[in-house]
Amino acid sequence: MENNQLLKVSEIEGRGRGIVSTQPLKPGQIILKDSPLLLYSASVKNSTFCSNCFRVILQSPIPCSWCSSSFFCTSNCQSIALSSSHTPWVCQSLTHLKNTFSSHSLNVDQQIQAFFLISAYNLAVISPSSFRVLLSLQGDSSFVSESDVLLLHSLVATCPSLNLGEFGFSKELTAALLAKDKVNAFGLMEPFEVDRERGVRAYGIYPMASFFNHDCLPNACRFEYVDTDVNSRSNTDIVVRVIHDVPEGREICLSYFPVNFKYAERQQRLKEDYGFTCNCDRCVVEANWSDGEDDAMDKEGEESEEEEEEDEEMEEDMDDEVNVNGEVEERDQDFPHAYFFLRYMCNRENCGGTLAPLPSPSSVMECNVCGNLSKSDEL
């Protein structure tokens, strides 16, 4: 965070390192643009997305000269990849691994972890300083299963040899890398489609964004413009914008998944993927809910016209009860996320994205999932 005057990394009691504002922040304010240390594919073979920039390939894909599983959108992307993310060693190693996956009965998650290890060890050779940054990120080896470490390390060991210099090649380093990936990787998502579940096209490790902690009612959200930023080599950067006013000294949090997930689903996801139980204000309230109350949240968009009018009246009442930070006052802590859902959650079918204003001054809200734009006074 050396070059970011808006934020700082601080130790937060019970939460480890987190990101805190160093000055008051305004709705829509861009607080971070972060480039990935490394990117790696989320599929074994896919000609839909470029293996370098991960944009959708609109014309005939250009296959890698040496392997049959990597494709590029332009010759320029291919040239860039051959000297960085898709070196001859990476190409040979990926080809070797894919030929051995079936004999070792690796599941999809293990295959993707193997792709990560190839990318990470390649990073150690092409950019030792970036590899040191990767090793400095949060993530304890205890988060990773010993059996996965042994299996994946033994597989990578059968790839063509690679001189890792000062870092060496060891089971301990493999375990450390897998732990960094488990708690720090961001998914670059496929384009949104109403009638299809959205998948991940690639994963990336972002050195500064990795310090954002989770909250089920976030005060910031991340945006990605992989396909829309057509003329830029920085199209895989992620942008973090503030959702509402944030005072100086407040922790900035993202939600690690769509905010409309139910309590049980959120807790399970956080425990399995990140190793912690969430005790945010929303979770404290919802922990006491019955299943019926939780299911009722899913039916918010199915009210009659009369109920919608009642909701509008409720929102007007609530506007008077929200403080400058966009938070519901103490007397509404029995339902602390009502205002958030009304104002900051996209109502487009099958979306579930979070809305944040465009960079101020703006009254236009942008969804970080479907990209839909809407006037804030229309919500």
Side-chain angles (χ1 to χ4, degrees):
M1 293 281 163
E2 293 88 351
N3 300 320
N4 193 319
Q5 300 178 348
L6 301 174
L7 312 171
K8 67 178 180 180
V9 176
S10 298
E11 285 291 334
I12 299 173
E13 185 176 357
R15 294 170 65 85
R17 288 180 290 182
I19 293 181
V20 175
S21 62
T22 61
Q23 56 186 270
L25 304 174
K26 297 296 183 183
Q29 187 170 353
I30 295 174
I31 56 175
L32 181 66
K33 288 184 178 180
D34 204 7
S35 301
L37 286 171
L38 59 83
L39 293 167
Y40 55 98
S41 177
S43 63
V44 176
K45 182 177 180 179
N46 194 330
S47 59
T48 303
F49 304 108
C50 175
S51 294
N52 177 62
C53 68
F54 291 99
R55 293 184 177 97
V56 174
I57 299 177
L58 300 176
Q59 300 177 347
S60 299
I62 301 173
C64 174
S65 305
W66 297 313
C67 69
S68 59
S69 56
S70 297
F71 299 86
F72 303 94
C73 59
T74 64
S75 57
N76 183 51
C77 261
Q78 183 181 32
S79 177
I80 293 170
L82 291 178
S83 61
S84 55
S85 62
H86 197 72
T87 62
W89 178 81
V90 170
C91 185
Q92 295 167 25
S93 298
L94 290 179
T95 301
H96 169 74
L97 286 178
K98 291 168 185 176
N99 290 334
T100 62
F101 281 162
S102 59
S103 61
H104 287 82
S105 301
L106 268 68
N107 60 42
V108 173
D109 288 341
Q110 290 170 327
Q111 292 177 25
I112 294 174
Q113 287 175 314
F115 296 159
F116 162 74
L117 288 174
I118 296 301
S119 296
Y121 279 124
N122 179 63
L123 184 67
V125 174
I126 65 172
S127 180
S129 60
S130 296
F131 189 73
R132 293 188 196 96
V133 173
L134 174 60
L135 291 177
S136 72
L137 300 180
Q138 300 183 92
D140 189 273
S141 299
S142 62
F143 289 156
V144 187
S145 103
E146 180 69 16
S147 60
D148 281 351
V149 172
L150 291 173
L151 173 61
L152 293 166
H153 182 72
S154 64
L155 280 177
V156 175
T158 64
C159 293
S161 61
L162 183 68
N163 183 7
L164 295 174
E166 64 185 275
F167 305 110
F169 179 71
S170 66
K171 180 172 71 70
E172 290 72 26
L173 181 57
T174 296
L177 289 171
L178 289 172
K180 308 303 180 186
D181 176 57
K182 185 174 180 65
V183 300
N184 294 295
F186 285 83
L188 293 181
M189 306 304 291
E190 296 176 351
F192 173 80
E193 295 180 27
V194 173
D195 57 353
R196 186 175 69 88
E197 184 177 353
R198 201 176 183 217
V200 181
R201 69 177 88 192
Y203 291 96
I205 306 291
Y206 293 81
M208 292 181 283
S210 66
F211 288 105
F212 284 109
N213 284 324
H214 167 82
D215 196 288
C216 297
L217 290 180
N219 51 17
C221 59
R222 69 179 178 99
F223 291 82
E224 54 197 57
Y225 302 99
V226 182
D227 295 310
T228 55
D229 197 359
V230 293
N231 297 314
S232 173
R233 287 182 59 181
S234 62
N235 70 302
T236 54
D237 289 2
I238 59 175
V239 177
V240 178
R241 296 211 306 266
V242 175
I243 295 174
H244 51 65
D245 286 307
V246 175
E248 179 181 347
R250 179 68 55 84
E251 183 181 11
I252 309 296
C253 295
L254 307 178
S255 177
Y256 292 173
F257 35 71
V259 294
N260 61 348
F261 279 19
K262 295 181 182 180
Y263 171 78
E265 188 178 3
R266 299 197 308 271
Q267 293 293 351
Q268 180 180 359
R269 183 89 168 262
L270 291 170
K271 192 66 175 178
E272 292 179 354
D273 293 352
Y274 302 97
F276 71 91
T277 299
C278 183
N279 293 307
C280 70
D281 290 344
R282 178 181 171 189
C283 284
V284 169
V285 171
E286 291 187 13
N288 298 316
W289 282 8
S290 67
D291 291 341
E293 288 174 308
D294 215 2
D295 291 338
M297 290 297 298
D298 295 334
K299 299 179 180 178
E300 273 194 16
E302 303 174 6
E303 301 112 329
S304 64
E305 290 184 7
E306 181 179 345
E307 289 170 325
E308 287 178 359
E309 290 176 4
E310 291 174 358
D311 280 348
E312 290 174 7
E313 293 174 5
M314 181 185 75
E315 183 174 1
E316 289 174 4
D317 292 339
M318 290 190 69
D319 280 339
D320 297 330
E321 298 168 7
V322 175
N323 60 29
V324 294
N325 301 320
E327 298 164 343
V328 181
E329 296 289 2
E330 252 181 57
R331 57 192 171 133
D332 290 306
Q333 287 303 304
D334 59 326
F335 193 40
H337 40 297
Y339 182 81
F340 188 98
F341 277 12
L342 285 168
R343 187 164 181 81
Y344 301 119
M345 194 172 79
C346 184
N347 58 10
R348 189 174 179 182
E349 183 182 0
N350 295 330
C351 177
T354 303
L355 304 175
L358 292 175
S360 56
S362 176
S363 61
V364 177
M365 307 287 277
E366 180 183 14
C367 175
N368 71 339
V369 171
C370 69
N372 195 40
L373 300 177
S374 56
K375 288 273 191 169
S376 59
D377 56 5
E378 295 173 356
L379 298 176

